[in-house]
């Protein structure tokens, strides 16, 4: 067996592969090395490098999105409508809408999403859609950005997941990720991608890696519901709405710490603790290897192993782009339908006032000002994560505003976007379990964040 052939063998050992039968070390090909460094560096720069272009400071993928939207101009809304049409028609064409009651319900809801998309693209917002916080918000702040960002981000996603970077980072941070959050070290890439990029792109990474056998169903579920937060860019919008920008550094790092602390708890209790720890059906599990001495050397070995079987840049990019288009097509119709229902309930009914009373005792326990308002604020987050900020915006208590702002992000689960995004993947977690996780995360966040807010402000 040659070194190249061995790279495809499940029992391949990176260190051993560098030696021939005489024991002489064979170094990785320079071509492989430059692909690891160059492609990984470009991927990191695109997703994690924040630069100022045209007076706007954001990550390069976001600048790429701005450029594409500028090129497409007035065609942008209709490109998104095309994606919604694809996502609406696909379940009926493939027959997947018959597979379960839930899929049938979402397939029918997608038809509503298509109608909303066509109306919005035409600039027509009938009835309650005319409310700026409902129709225009869904379309301009969620539908179009997600519909465009996921396929564009997917173009650069191959650079992060195909050429050894996930394996390299995974080995280095394994001593932290596995004991604390019960996930492989490579999950760190997903977590960071959410905070600096987008939960939809992070879910695309998670789903792809899960279907390749590098995550189990339990690990993918933990990552999807424990790390897939909104981006730091959107957190700025939340902080601005809550008049917390003068505490931005505190808000960001407190949110980061609380979110990951809550995840460390939820992975140890139902429903996440009961998700089967098995790979995707029909795929052989490729677990992250344990430590074998020098961790940096092992990280390099694993990166070279992944690189040896990596596809060419064209084929790898095309594969992730197709995944991105299909995921965007599945997500956006649900955002425009399920998100619409949640916003209508939050705006025109007392449903969330009633649900809010579940959290009033917790708000009272942690001595939040105006516990009833705090309860309603955190309860509306299940419809859309931005809504809690609108409920307490302008309140005199910074402690209340900071706590609600942290909870809005740390809750992770919300129906206007995250739930449809997860349902568009193969990640094995149900809607019921996601609702339970939302409740647990809100309660735990209040218990952790409120005392810290009292202490730090």
């Amino acid at each position: 067996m040659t070194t190249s052939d061995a790279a495809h063998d499940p029992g391949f050992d990176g260190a051993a592969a560098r030696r021939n039968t005489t024991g002489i070390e064979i170094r990785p090909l320079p071509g492989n090395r430059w692909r690891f460094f160059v492609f990984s560096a470009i991927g990191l720069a695109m997703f994690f490098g924040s630069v100022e272009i045209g007076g706007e400071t954001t990550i390069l993928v976001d600048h790429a999105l701005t450029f594409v939207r500028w090129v497409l101009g007035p065609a942008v809304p209709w490109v998104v409508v095309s994606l919604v049409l694809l996502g609406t028609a696909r379940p009926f064409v493939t027959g997947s809408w018959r597979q379960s009651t839930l899929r049938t319900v979402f397939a029918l809801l997608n038809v509503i999403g298509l109608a909303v998309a066509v109306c919005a693209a035409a600039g027509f917002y009938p009835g309650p859609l005319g409310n700026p916080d409902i129709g225009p918000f869904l379309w301009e702040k969620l539908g179009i950005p997600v519909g465009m960002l996921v396929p564009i981000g997917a173009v650069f996603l191959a650079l992060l997941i195909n050429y050894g970077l996930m394996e390299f980072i995974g080995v280095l941070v394994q001593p932290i990720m596995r004991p604390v959050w019960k996930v492989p070290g490579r999950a760190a890439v997903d977590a960071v991608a959410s905070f600096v990029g987008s939960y939809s792109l992070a879910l695309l990474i998670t789903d792809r890696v899960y279907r390749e056998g590098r995550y189990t169903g339990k690990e993918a579920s933990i990552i999807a519901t424990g790390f897939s937060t909104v981006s730091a860019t959107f957190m700025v919008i939340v902080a601005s709405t809550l008049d917390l920008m003068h505490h931005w550094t505190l808000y960001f790092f407190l949110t980061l710490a609380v979110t990951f602390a809550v995840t460390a708890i939820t992975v140890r209790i139902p429903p996440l603790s009961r998700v089967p720890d098995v790979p995707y059906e029909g795929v052989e599990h490729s677990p992250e290897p344990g430590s074998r001495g020098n961790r940096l050397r092992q990280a390099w070995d694993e990166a070279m192993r992944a690189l040896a079987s990596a596809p060419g840049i064209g084929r790898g990019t095309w594969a992730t782009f197709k995944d991105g288009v299909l995921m965007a097509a599945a997500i956006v119709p649900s955002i425009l339908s399920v998100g619409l229902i949640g916003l209508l309930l939050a705006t025109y009914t007392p449903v969330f006032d009633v649900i809010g009373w579940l959290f009033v005792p917790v708000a009272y326990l942690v001595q939040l000002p105006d516990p009833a308002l705090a309860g309603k604020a955190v309860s509306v987050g299940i419809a859309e994560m931005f809504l809690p900020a609108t409920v307490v915006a302008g309140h005199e208590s910074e402690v209340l505003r900071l706590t609600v702002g942290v909870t809005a992000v740390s809750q992770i689960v919300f129906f206007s976007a995250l739930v449809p995004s997860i349902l568009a993947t193969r990640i094995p977690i149900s809607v019921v379990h996601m609702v339970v996780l939302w409740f647990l995360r809100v309660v735990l966040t209040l218990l952790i964040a409120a005392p810290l807010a009292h202490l730090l402000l």
Side-chain angles (χ1 to χ4, degrees):
M1 182 187 301
T2 67
T3 301
S4 176
D5 294 333
H8 299 272
D9 184 80
F12 171 77
D13 180 274
R18 291 196 304 272
R19 294 175 174 84
N20 61 17
T21 54
T22 63
I24 300 173
E25 185 174 1
I26 301 174
R27 297 182 182 277
L29 293 175
N32 278 354
R33 287 179 174 178
W34 80 257
R35 287 206 302 166
F36 169 75
F37 288 112
V38 174
F39 292 164
S40 297
I42 295 173
L44 288 170
M46 292 302 298
F47 284 95
F48 306 139
S50 184
V51 298
E52 181 180 347
I53 299 177
E56 183 178 356
T57 302
T58 185
I59 60 173
L60 286 170
V61 165
D62 207 21
H63 285 303
L65 171 63
T66 301
F67 176 73
V68 172
R69 292 183 65 172
W70 175 77
V71 170
L72 294 175
V76 167
W78 298 105
V79 170
V80 178
V81 168
S82 299
L83 282 173
V84 175
L85 178 60
L86 171 63
T88 302
R90 196 162 180 261
F92 296 103
V93 172
T94 62
S96 65
W97 70 280
R98 298 191 190 97
Q99 292 178 359
S100 67
T101 302
L102 184 63
R103 287 187 179 272
T104 301
V105 169
F106 269 89
L108 296 175
L109 286 173
N110 285 351
V111 177
I112 298 175
L114 177 60
V116 172
V118 172
C119 288
F124 175 57
Y125 293 101
L129 285 178
N131 185 329
D133 295 326
I134 297 179
F137 173 78
L138 273 175
W139 183 242
E140 296 168 13
K141 302 297 184 183
L142 293 175
I144 289 179
V146 171
M148 297 296 294
L149 178 62
V150 175
I152 292 170
V155 171
F156 303 100
L157 195 60
L159 303 176
L160 286 181
I161 66 176
N162 286 342
Y163 301 100
L165 180 65
M166 287 191 76
E167 285 72 17
F168 186 81
I169 293 177
V171 172
L172 294 182
V173 301
Q174 190 181 61
I176 300 172
M177 300 298 290
R178 179 63 69 182
V180 178
W181 295 289
K182 298 185 180 296
V183 294
R186 57 174 69 117
V189 176
D190 300 46
V192 177
S194 285
F195 265 92
V196 302
S198 162
Y199 61 85
S200 51
L201 289 175
L203 283 173
L204 187 59
I205 296 174
T206 305
D207 183 51
R208 180 72 179 270
V209 176
Y210 169 53
R211 289 188 286 114
E212 291 174 352
R214 291 189 282 166
Y215 290 152
T216 64
K218 185 173 189 174
E219 291 166 350
S221 299
I222 290 171
I223 296 163
T225 60
F227 299 109
S228 299
T229 64
V230 295
S231 68
T233 304
F234 201 84
M235 287 171 64
V236 171
I237 299 173
V238 174
S240 250
T241 303
L242 293 171
D243 192 22
L244 291 172
M245 283 308 295
H246 57 294
H247 292 307
W248 165 248
T249 302
L250 169 63
Y251 172 64
F252 178 81
F253 284 105
L254 182 63
T255 301
L256 182 73
V258 171
T259 299
F260 289 172
V262 169
T263 299
I265 297 171
T266 57
V267 301
R268 290 167 166 81
I269 59 178
L272 285 179
S273 65
R274 294 181 180 174
V275 177
D277 199 20
V278 295
Y280 184 60
E281 185 177 358
V283 177
E284 184 179 354
H285 188 208
S286 178
E288 199 169 65
S291 177
R292 300 191 303 265
N294 187 307
R295 189 168 292 276
L296 186 61
R297 182 61 175 266
Q298 183 191 347
W300 176 253
D301 289 343
E302 292 304 319
M304 291 301 99
R305 176 181 177 178
L307 196 60
S309 58
I313 186 68
R315 185 158 58 93
T317 300
W318 177 246
T320 54
F321 175 71
K322 286 193 298 183
D323 282 349
V325 168
L326 293 177
M327 175 169 264
I331 293 171
V332 180
S334 295
I335 288 175
L336 298 177
S337 55
V338 179
L340 173 63
I341 293 169
L343 291 175
L344 290 174
L345 289 174
T347 305
Y348 297 110
T349 75
V351 168
F352 291 107
D353 293 273
V354 175
I355 296 174
W357 283 101
L358 293 173
F359 302 105
V360 169
V362 183
Y364 182 80
L365 177 65
V366 295
Q367 298 182 6
L368 281 178
D370 206 341
L373 181 66
K376 178 180 179 179
V378 297
S379 71
V380 298
I382 194 170
E384 158 55 39
M385 66 76 51
F386 185 66
L387 291 180
T390 66
V391 173
V392 298
H395 196 280
E396 62 181 3
S397 171
E398 279 195 334
V399 168
L400 176 60
R401 299 200 310 271
L402 178 60
T403 302
V404 169
V406 171
T407 305
V409 177
S410 178
Q411 67 170 30
I412 292 183
V413 178
F414 58 99
F415 271 86
S416 69
L418 195 280
V419 171
S421 298
I422 292 178
L423 293 176
T425 70
R426 303 295 196 280
I427 298 169
I429 188 162
S430 68
V431 172
V432 173
H433 285 169
M434 282 190 271
V435 172
V436 172
L437 277 167
W438 166 78
F439 178 80
L440 292 174
R441 293 193 68 92
V442 170
V443 170
L444 290 169
T445 300
L446 289 175
L447 291 174
I448 297 172
L452 291 173
H454 281 294
L455 180 67
L456 297 171
L457 288 177

